[in-house]
Amino acid sequence: MGIIKVENIRVFAYHGCLKEETKIGSDYRVDLEIEANLRTSANTDALSDTVDYVFLNRVIREEMNIASHLLETVAKRILSRIFEEDKLVDRATVWVSKLNPPIGGDVERVTIKMTEKRKN
């Protein structure tokens, strides 16, 4: 077993419940940690035997481009796609953070963390 992390993916997107959020957009940060069997790829040195970071980044960017009211919805979509499209992933955790959220205070970010395991 091994862990791959893709950290501090910066995205501009249009999520939120307020009308202004869906019009002007906000800055987001996404972090992802996946668990997979990395022994084979460690031996073969073949990209086809591991989880491709480019794939993970692409899924995150594509799902962040779909406007949603809640960050929970975005996180769930990201996890669902990763499990559907890459059979090597056994477990994944995603953090989706809205930077400088409009919640009436000096708040750096709000973050949703969601973890899922592969269902057999």
Side-chain angles (χ1 to χ4, degrees):
M1 220 25 99
I3 293 174
I4 295 174
K5 291 182 179 182
V6 183
E7 298 177 297
N8 200 20
I9 300 167
R10 292 171 299 281
V11 181
F12 189 85
Y14 297 89
H15 307 298
C17 293
L18 301 176
K19 211 179 263 189
E20 297 81 19
E21 292 177 296
T22 60
K23 287 183 181 178
I24 63 172
S26 297
D27 290 311
Y28 293 83
R29 172 185 168 163
V30 180
D31 298 283
L32 179 67
E33 179 178 293
I34 64 103
E35 292 180 29
N37 183 344
L38 303 180
R39 288 184 187 104
T40 301
S41 60
N43 289 323
T44 65
D45 199 29
L47 182 59
S48 61
D49 290 331
T50 193
V51 180
D52 187 354
Y53 323 142
V54 174
F55 157 75
L56 298 172
N57 185 55
R58 180 176 46 83
V59 167
I60 289 168
R61 293 190 173 283
E62 288 174 0
E63 294 304 325
M64 288 296 291
N65 278 331
I66 302 169
S68 297
H69 288 122
L70 302 176
L71 298 181
E72 292 91 323
T73 304
V74 180
K76 176 66 175 161
R77 280 199 320 261
I78 291 168
L79 292 172
S80 293
R81 278 213 37 215
I82 288 169
F83 284 109
E84 286 171 17
E85 297 180 29
D86 195 316
K87 302 304 181 200
L88 293 176
V89 177
D90 293 318
R91 180 182 173 104
T93 300
V94 65
W95 293 259
V96 180
S97 302
K98 180 181 280 193
L99 307 179
N100 301 311
I103 60 174
D106 185 12
V107 178
E108 182 178 339
R109 67 177 164 242
V110 294
T111 302
I112 298 302
K113 175 184 176 186
M114 194 174 286
T115 301
E116 294 215 1
K117 293 184 212 179
R118 178 165 301 283
K119 295 169 182 66
N120 294 333

